[in-house]
Amino acid sequence: MLSQKTKDTLLGPLNANNPVVVQILGICSALAVTVQLKPALVMGIAVTIIVAMSNVIVSLIRNTIPMRVRIIVQLVVVAALVTLVSEVLKAFAYDVAMQLSVYLGLIITNCILMGRLEAFAMTNNAWDSLLDGLGNGLGYALILVIVAFVRELFGAGQLLGFQVLPQSWYAAGYENNGMMLMPAMALILVGCVIWAHRAYNDKEKK
Amino acid sequence: MEHAISLFVRSIFSDNMIFAYFLGMCSYLAVSKNVKTSAGLGVAVTFVLIVTLPVNYLLQKYVLGPDALVAGLDLSYLSFILFIAVIAAIVQLVEMIVEKYSPSLYASLGIFLPLIAVNCAIMGGSLFMQQRIGLPEVDAKAITSLLDAFMYALGSGIGWFMAIVCLAGIREKMEYNDVPKPLQGLGITFIVVGLMALAFMCFSGLNI
């Protein structure tokens, strides 16, 4: 259905060229919103929408942007989209918007956005840019979900706010690992994800 | 005054930008390979923070906040666009001024200055400041005056500077260590930052 090139643009960022664990972009929010699965999911979706939309918009106006002020133009496009998304979230999912607090606004300075706009949207047409934006957004969301899954499961015994570990385990002496809820653990977990990802990909190359 | 000093100390230690809020992580990890350049970036970030944060404070207080411009008008939904525009403009301005009056500083900071516009620490500082304006005055985190905003910016900048120089020092030493191959480079850096964050958590009960 899709040609090889479009397939690469869309699926490459999910694994081999992942924006978080390979290119190390957008770390700030990836670490901060992953205490629970729900805000991580919302954040992943929000970033995917914003990357895809801003890629398309910048790609459409790329020939009219003067080179010297392009960063400011890109920032304004992104800031407008982020404002839209945050207003929508405040209207329909107020508690999640409050949980994300400043990190929602910080999508503006998320390096994935600027990186994709500079590296891809400025030189490619709108359709390819859309696919590239979707792929990168999903690659980012994937890592967020993995980290949040581990942190919420082991830190609170819950997933998406529902108790997953049975009460009988706690009765038998199992305890939640409070470490998982602390900021430091997010960093160490992402380090481990990078480790696993590299080890797996190196083996596949050989 | 006491409140401002307390804000200053808190923002260096217990509310450290890197270890408590993960702000400015991208450039923090990318530029911390050696102590000299990371110190340069740290100074640049501190500088831009102490210039932009008070400006955004005034903007929030007298233009964007509820009832600030006209009674009954709350423009805070415009804050993302205005804050980022102020930051981008000031970074451009700072770049031109530094280029004109101190070519040697420009040569050492040059490459980092334009990048600072998209550093999350700067935008994050402004957004946290916006949140803290609404807090009651007795709250230790509240920012109630221009001096508070300035001290908060200075403290956050110094905290960031300290964090990046520490990491750069550790990474310089780590060159000689025998790290498992897939973990080399960024993997181990993440784990080191995690351990540093753990160490910094001992400041979290700090009350001044």
Side-chain angles (χ1 to χ4, degrees), chain A residues 181-194:
Chain A
L181 302 178
M182 290 169 180
M185 211 51 209
L187 285 159
I188 296 176
L189 270 178
V190 173
C192 294
V193 171
I194 293 176

Side-chain angles (χ1 to χ4, degrees), chain A residues 24 26-28 31-32 79 82-83 86-87 101-103 105-106 108-109 111 114 182-184 187 190-191 194-195 198-199, chain B residues 19 21-26 77 80-81 84 88 118 120 123-124 127-128 131 182-184 186-187 190 193-194 197-198 201:
Chain A
I24 317 294
I27 305 292
C28 326
L31 297 167
V82 172
T83 310
S86 89
E87 293 294 311
S101 70
V102 298
Y103 295 101
L106 284 175
I108 299 171
T109 51
C111 324
M114 296 310 288
M182 290 169 180
L187 285 159
V190 173
I194 293 176
W195 186 4
R198 285 216 182 139
Chain B
F19 299 129
Y21 299 113
F22 313 112
L23 295 179
M25 264 298 173
C26 307
Y77 62 88
F80 292 163
I81 294 187
I84 199 73
V118 288
C120 335
M123 186 66 182
L127 291 176
F128 271 119
Q131 261 188 354
L183 200 57
Q184 269 169 17
L186 280 156
F190 267 96
V193 179
L198 270 185
M201 268 169 37

Side-chain angles (χ1 to χ4, degrees), chain A residues 52-62 65 77 81:
Chain A
M53 297 275 288
S54 60
N55 253 357
V56 170
I57 293 174
V58 169
S59 159
L60 287 175
I61 59 173
R62 69 179 186 277
I65 304 176
V77 170
L81 285 169

